[in-house]
Amino acid sequence: QKEVEQNSGPLSVPEGAIASLNCTYSDRGSQSFFWYRQYSGKSPELIMSIYSNGDKEDGRFTAQLNKASQYVSLLIRDSQPSDSATYLCAVTVAGANNLFFGTGTRLTVIP
Amino acid sequence: DAGVIQSPRHEVTEMGQEVTLRCKPISGHNSLFWYRQTMMRGLELLIYFNNNVPIDDSGMPEDRFSAKMPNASFSTLKIQPSEPRDSAVYFCASSQLAGGFYEQYFGPGTRLTVT
């Protein structure tokens, strides 16, 4: 079983819509959760981190964490074509500071 | 502030040659990570260091790969001899250990092509 699972997509949404990206993880001891955005040919860029249950909002981005169900999600409101990228979910496991990455979900925002 | 610095940005070499990739972490960060990314395998952790000490090298593909971190501001990943299947983008990332937040910041990557 992989540590982190993501739907590979592709996920297509029209401009202005809400994009919803989901991620599940296997280690109940995980404490830190991250979303990275990666444009084609570029390196992963940290866009959100979340450490406690509930929602965390930053501009058009909202990260949601539910430790009981072992999932973390990212909502992108008012999606823009510039949001088109691959989104990687990453988590730590108990007792270590390295990240386990999902395979990523490719998002396309259609103008 | 300068981010993670990697060099070279592109490397083209012939099979059998030695390749050395370099990384300078963000100043003040004391954890450093080497990743490899391919279309087929995604983003793979090769090795990481805490306070210049290798913690987990289980992702290193084989003995042809080696990594060092002689001081807090420099690390190398060496492939000797290189093979065509080593062609990939190699990323270096760094983070802080203190606070338990572990946010990693990636460098621009080195695109390696082995012919």
Side-chain angles (χ1 to χ4, degrees), chain B residues 8-12 109-112:
Chain B
R9 295 292 305 276
H10 301 273
E11 178 79 31
V12 180
T110 296
R111 182 172 296 275
L112 174 65

PDB file of all heavy atoms in Angstrom, chain B residues 8-12 109-112:
ATOM      1  N   PRO B   8      24.821  21.580 -12.341  1.00  0.00           N
ATOM      2  CA  PRO B   8      24.365  22.442 -13.423  1.00  0.00           C
ATOM      3  C   PRO B   8      22.857  22.342 -13.606  1.00  0.00           C
ATOM      4  O   PRO B   8      22.220  21.508 -12.973  1.00  0.00           O
ATOM      5  CB  PRO B   8      25.106  21.850 -14.636  1.00  0.00           C
ATOM      6  CG  PRO B   8      25.201  20.387 -14.313  1.00  0.00           C
ATOM      7  CD  PRO B   8      25.411  20.316 -12.820  1.00  0.00           C
ATOM      8  N   ARG B   9      22.266  23.164 -14.418  1.00  0.00           N
ATOM      9  CA  ARG B   9      20.829  23.075 -14.692  1.00  0.00           C
ATOM     10  C   ARG B   9      20.542  21.995 -15.731  1.00  0.00           C
ATOM     11  O   ARG B   9      19.487  21.363 -15.707  1.00  0.00           O
ATOM     12  CB  ARG B   9      20.307  24.422 -15.182  1.00  0.00           C
ATOM     13  CG  ARG B   9      20.392  25.523 -14.135  1.00  0.00           C
ATOM     14  CD  ARG B   9      19.426  25.289 -12.958  1.00  0.00           C
ATOM     15  NE  ARG B   9      18.067  25.123 -13.428  1.00  0.00           N
ATOM     16  CZ  ARG B   9      17.248  26.125 -13.686  1.00  0.00           C
ATOM     17  NH1 ARG B   9      17.650  27.374 -13.517  1.00  0.00           N
ATOM     18  NH2 ARG B   9      16.018  25.886 -14.113  1.00  0.00           N
ATOM     19  N   HIS B  10      21.465  21.804 -16.623  1.00  0.00           N
ATOM     20  CA  HIS B  10      21.341  20.764 -17.642  1.00  0.00           C
ATOM     21  C   HIS B  10      22.685  20.054 -17.764  1.00  0.00           C
ATOM     22  O   HIS B  10      23.737  20.687 -17.688  1.00  0.00           O
ATOM     23  CB  HIS B  10      20.954  21.366 -19.004  1.00  0.00           C
ATOM     24  CG  HIS B  10      19.668  22.116 -18.988  1.00  0.00           C
ATOM     25  ND1 HIS B  10      18.449  21.522 -19.183  1.00  0.00           N
ATOM     26  CD2 HIS B  10      19.415  23.433 -18.786  1.00  0.00           C
ATOM     27  CE1 HIS B  10      17.502  22.437 -19.114  1.00  0.00           C
ATOM     28  NE2 HIS B  10      18.052  23.598 -18.868  1.00  0.00           N
ATOM     29  N   GLU B  11      22.603  18.750 -17.940  1.00  0.00           N
ATOM     30  CA  GLU B  11      23.828  17.963 -18.109  1.00  0.00           C
ATOM     31  C   GLU B  11      23.550  16.882 -19.138  1.00  0.00           C
ATOM     32  O   GLU B  11      22.601  16.108 -18.988  1.00  0.00           O
ATOM     33  CB  GLU B  11      24.243  17.327 -16.777  1.00  0.00           C
ATOM     34  CG  GLU B  11      25.464  16.442 -16.844  1.00  0.00           C
ATOM     35  CD  GLU B  11      26.759  17.228 -16.851  1.00  0.00           C
ATOM     36  OE1 GLU B  11      26.801  18.306 -16.247  1.00  0.00           O
ATOM     37  OE2 GLU B  11      27.730  16.736 -17.457  1.00  0.00           O
ATOM     38  N   VAL B  12      24.360  16.853 -20.162  1.00  0.00           N
ATOM     39  CA  VAL B  12      24.289  15.796 -21.172  1.00  0.00           C
ATOM     40  C   VAL B  12      25.620  15.072 -21.155  1.00  0.00           C
ATOM     41  O   VAL B  12      26.672  15.710 -21.275  1.00  0.00           O
ATOM     42  CB  VAL B  12      23.997  16.361 -22.575  1.00  0.00           C
ATOM     43  CG1 VAL B  12      23.930  15.215 -23.589  1.00  0.00           C
ATOM     44  CG2 VAL B  12      22.701  17.156 -22.585  1.00  0.00           C
ATOM     45  N   GLY B 109      16.259  22.183 -10.059  1.00  0.00           N
ATOM     46  CA  GLY B 109      16.481  20.879 -10.665  1.00  0.00           C
ATOM     47  C   GLY B 109      17.633  20.861 -11.656  1.00  0.00           C
ATOM     48  O   GLY B 109      18.036  21.904 -12.200  1.00  0.00           O
ATOM     49  N   THR B 110      18.158  19.667 -11.861  1.00  0.00           N
ATOM     50  CA  THR B 110      19.159  19.408 -12.899  1.00  0.00           C
ATOM     51  C   THR B 110      18.581  18.370 -13.841  1.00  0.00           C
ATOM     52  O   THR B 110      18.221  17.276 -13.415  1.00  0.00           O
ATOM     53  CB  THR B 110      20.472  18.868 -12.306  1.00  0.00           C
ATOM     54  OG1 THR B 110      21.065  19.849 -11.466  1.00  0.00           O
ATOM     55  CG2 THR B 110      21.439  18.476 -13.422  1.00  0.00           C
ATOM     56  N   ARG B 111      18.471  18.753 -15.103  1.00  0.00           N
ATOM     57  CA  ARG B 111      17.964  17.797 -16.103  1.00  0.00           C
ATOM     58  C   ARG B 111      19.155  17.028 -16.658  1.00  0.00           C
ATOM     59  O   ARG B 111      20.016  17.600 -17.327  1.00  0.00           O
ATOM     60  CB  ARG B 111      17.224  18.521 -17.217  1.00  0.00           C
ATOM     61  CG  ARG B 111      16.622  17.573 -18.258  1.00  0.00           C
ATOM     62  CD  ARG B 111      15.727  18.310 -19.248  1.00  0.00           C
ATOM     63  NE  ARG B 111      14.571  18.888 -18.592  1.00  0.00           N
ATOM     64  CZ  ARG B 111      13.436  18.239 -18.338  1.00  0.00           C
ATOM     65  NH1 ARG B 111      13.321  16.968 -18.686  1.00  0.00           N
ATOM     66  NH2 ARG B 111      12.429  18.860 -17.767  1.00  0.00           N
ATOM     67  N   LEU B 112      19.194  15.738 -16.361  1.00  0.00           N
ATOM     68  CA  LEU B 112      20.309  14.876 -16.792  1.00  0.00           C
ATOM     69  C   LEU B 112      19.879  14.004 -17.957  1.00  0.00           C
ATOM     70  O   LEU B 112      18.857  13.330 -17.885  1.00  0.00           O
ATOM     71  CB  LEU B 112      20.763  13.989 -15.626  1.00  0.00           C
ATOM     72  CG  LEU B 112      21.820  12.930 -15.967  1.00  0.00           C
ATOM     73  CD1 LEU B 112      23.129  13.588 -16.386  1.00  0.00           C
ATOM     74  CD2 LEU B 112      22.040  11.995 -14.783  1.00  0.00           C
TER      75      LEU B 112
END
